[in-house]
Amino acid sequence: MLRYLTAGESHGQALVVIVEGLPAGLAVTEADIQAELGRRRLGFGRGPRQRFEVDEILLLGGIRHGRTLGSPVAIEIKNTEWFRSDKWHKEMSPAPGKTEDPLTQPRPGHADLAGMQKYGFDDARDVLERASARETAARVAAGALAKLLLRTIGVEVISHVIQMGDARASLTVRPTAGDLTKVDESPVRCFDAASEAAMVKAVEDAAREGDSLGGIVEVIAYGVPVGLGSHVHWDRKIDANLAQAIMSIQAVKGVEIGDGFEVAGRRGSQAHDPIEWDESTQSYRRLSALAGGTEGGMTTGEPVIVRAAMKPLATLNRPTLQTVDTVTKESTVSFKERTDVTAVPAMGVVAETMVALVLAAEAQRKFGGDSVDEFTRNCASFLGTL
Ligand code: EPS
């Protein structure tokens, strides 16, 4: 099974990810991974750090002459911040010592206070450095490999922003795999051009007031073969695994598969995707996409559609959130840090990553194979039996 571990703190020296279980023979270049990391830095509303963070990577193992070896792939992503100032060398030094500037006004909505209590820390930085969404850079590097593997069986995973604050896009037309460049060119990664201006304005308004914004992203995976995941056991259901993966993204508080929340209010006769036999392709197809391409915990062969709702960031440029100083126990407002107004466009790229990692793991579980050739052959052979 494909598995991966990330390590590293936001202002530490680097992030590291190890991806184990990839087949041998997958063509990978540094540029493939860089491209995905660059996409994660996209989006109007990010803070100053994104302008200097370059996500410089080092391929440490598992790849030789542009091909995976079947051994664990290890990737290091340097944190530009560490190399820019002495402050972080001191603050994040692994050597014994103590900070002169502990953060003791935990932000409501962040991991700060619960983490301080759970781990016995008196400095919120001991928690927030790892809770930070900087960690998603390491996941995106892993996701780049998952996307390359999925591409060998014709799967493409894309995303677009469908809501920014209260500005919502029309969902009448969905981007296809070929539209990803157009989505990425939008300052808010929105495919619906008519809604883009309202989204940009929502970000500008929040920025002016020192506030932050959440939103909703939709991920669509095209070309997913029928039969990934299973109905036979709770922890093998693909929709459950997608939900867990998406919910693990920092600040995501809601997950929807297809139109899951909308169909809850409909009658059964109006809530399911009718099935039809398509003579031209000699295959079944669904006439709508309410179920988001999954039924009974398995992919149906239709596009997989997952939505992720992100809460507004808990760090504000003009702090107004009530909290308590953990030393004096006096009421105060949470500490001020340099921050993004919104990270919803970037979260879309991270959500693609998480969907790709789940689908790649399940595809490997179904089709197996120690080499990419064996993996693709097994997939084609299965599809040929349908
Ligand atoms: C983050 C806060 C900001 C973001 C960071 C995630 O960092 P800083 O506090 O250093 O300005 O820029 O995201 C990234 C560095 C990144 O690469 O996505 C947070 O608190 O989660």
Side-chain angles (χ1 to χ4, degrees), residues 85-100:
S85 81
D86 283 349
K87 172 180 172 183
W88 297 113
H89 283 70
K90 274 200 217 116
E91 277 295 339
M92 299 305 294
S93 170
K98 208 169 180 327
T99 181
E100 285 161 17

Side-chain angles (χ1 to χ4, degrees), residues 10-11 40-41 46-50 52-53 55 79 81 88 107 110 128 131-137 250 313 315 337-340 346:
S10 181
H11 300 94
R40 198 195 61 94
R41 292 196 305 273
R46 298 305 303 272
R49 181 160 173 193
Q50 296 313 308
F52 61 74
E53 198 59 70
D55 293 331
N79 286 328
E81 187 90 82
W88 297 113
R107 296 159 295 177
H110 222 291
L128 69 87
S132 161
R134 172 74 190 146
E135 182 263 347
T136 61
Q250 289 82 341
L313 300 174
T315 317
E337 283 245 300
R338 177 190 63 194
T339 184
D340 305 325

Side-chain angles (χ1 to χ4, degrees), residues 259-278:
D259 288 322
F261 287 99
E262 154 76 20
V263 297
R266 295 190 184 190
R267 291 192 169 184
S269 55
Q270 305 299 313
H272 301 285
D273 304 320
I275 302 172
E276 189 178 76
W277 176 253
D278 185 339

